[in-house]
Amino acid sequence: MSLFGLGSRNQKTFRPKKSTPSGSKGAQLQKHIDATLGSGNLREAVRLPPGEDINEWLAVNTVDFFNQVNILYGTLTEFCTPNNCPTMTAGPKYEYRWADGVNIKKPIEVSAPKYVEYLMDWIEAQLDDETIFPQKLGAPFPSNFKDVVNTIFKRLFRVYAHIYHSHFQKIVSLKEEAHLNTCFKHFVLFTWEFRLIDKAELAPLHDLVESILQL
């Protein structure tokens, strides 16, 4: 996404960038996202375009936010290590344990980088599953699609929360705070527009979230 382009030093992503769902109106909706983001009006950019299907819009944006978090976290992988971050926390009050309900059913305590690795693998598996994110034009979305999207966004928020609480000074020293703040503002406005994350889940970054929503 052109608005969120990073300098060449930071092109290292945590994993390969995911493509927009090709079957749907993915490419067309992606162009709409790019055009509205280019205007700088993030509130406008998150709104469902007139006449478009809500699930298509959620699908394209889910891929987009997944890629954004990948790029951001990718700049921190040498600093976010098992030694530096032995648990996945967001400040002293919040710790996240990993479970995917399939391979790991009981939540386990893991380091922050391991949590993010599990999370990105899990999201990638959802995005690659055509019964959840259909690729063919006109293929139906599953009845629980919104629930899957909600869980993806809830867990992506945890990466933002960890970055802000544990690595913000490093982000500042890398001169990436403006990029981080813009990405997070876009994320918050989108999740708020479509009620994707329960407000209690946003507590680790409550003040920052409130300041974004009140602008």
Side-chain angles (χ1 to χ4, degrees):
M1 227 187 275
S2 56
L3 179 68
F4 297 132
L6 288 171
S8 57
R9 175 210 170 282
N10 296 325
Q11 284 303 327
K12 177 180 74 171
T13 52
F14 188 52
R15 62 193 55 223
K17 191 174 178 183
K18 295 295 291 180
S19 304
T20 302
S22 57
S24 55
K25 293 182 183 166
Q28 183 185 335
L29 289 175
Q30 184 63 51
K31 283 180 186 170
H32 178 86
I33 292 171
D34 289 341
T36 49
L37 281 176
S39 73
N41 185 341
L42 292 177
R43 284 185 187 279
E44 187 61 36
V46 302
R47 291 196 183 109
L48 178 67
E52 295 296 349
D53 179 75
I54 178 75
N55 287 334
E56 298 269 10
W57 186 237
L58 290 174
V60 171
N61 278 278
T62 300
V63 173
D64 230 19
F65 284 112
F66 169 76
N67 286 331
Q68 280 182 36
V69 173
N70 261 327
I71 291 169
L72 279 167
Y73 187 76
T75 67
L76 293 169
T77 49
E78 62 191 286
F79 313 109
C80 186
T81 63
N83 281 340
N84 293 338
C85 304
T87 54
M88 179 65 173
T89 59
K93 289 185 183 176
Y94 300 96
E95 179 187 327
Y96 301 116
R97 300 188 174 201
W98 178 256
D100 59 15
V102 180
N103 297 317
I104 300 173
K105 295 186 178 177
K106 185 177 179 182
I108 58 172
E109 182 181 298
V110 292
S111 68
K114 191 67 183 172
Y115 185 99
V116 176
E117 181 186 335
Y118 277 137
L119 172 58
M120 296 308 181
D121 285 347
W122 177 80
I123 295 176
E124 204 154 24
Q126 310 308 301
L127 298 179
D128 289 342
D129 186 340
E130 291 199 30
T131 67
I132 302 173
F133 283 82
Q135 293 287 324
K136 294 186 175 67
L137 187 62
F141 286 85
S143 58
N144 69 333
F145 181 67
K146 179 84 175 341
D147 293 334
V148 174
V149 170
N150 287 2
T151 303
I152 290 173
F153 275 83
K154 176 179 75 175
R155 290 175 171 174
L156 284 175
F157 169 81
R158 295 172 178 179
V159 182
Y160 275 116
H162 178 71
I163 290 173
Y164 272 107
H165 278 282
S166 298
H167 301 293
F168 189 69
Q169 287 311 309
K170 182 53 68 177
I171 289 282
V172 171
S173 72
L174 293 171
K175 296 185 167 50
E176 287 173 9
E177 70 269 28
H179 172 71
L180 171 65
N181 291 338
T182 302
C183 288
F184 185 62
K185 179 180 179 183
H186 184 202
F187 180 89
V188 167
L189 291 174
F190 188 83
T191 57
W192 192 251
E193 178 79 9
F194 298 102
R195 300 298 187 265
L196 301 178
I197 305 179
D198 186 78
K199 203 160 187 186
E201 287 281 343
L202 301 172
L205 296 176
H206 174 269
D207 293 349
L208 182 56
V209 169
E210 287 297 310
S211 70
I212 289 169
L213 295 176
Q214 288 168 12
L215 286 175

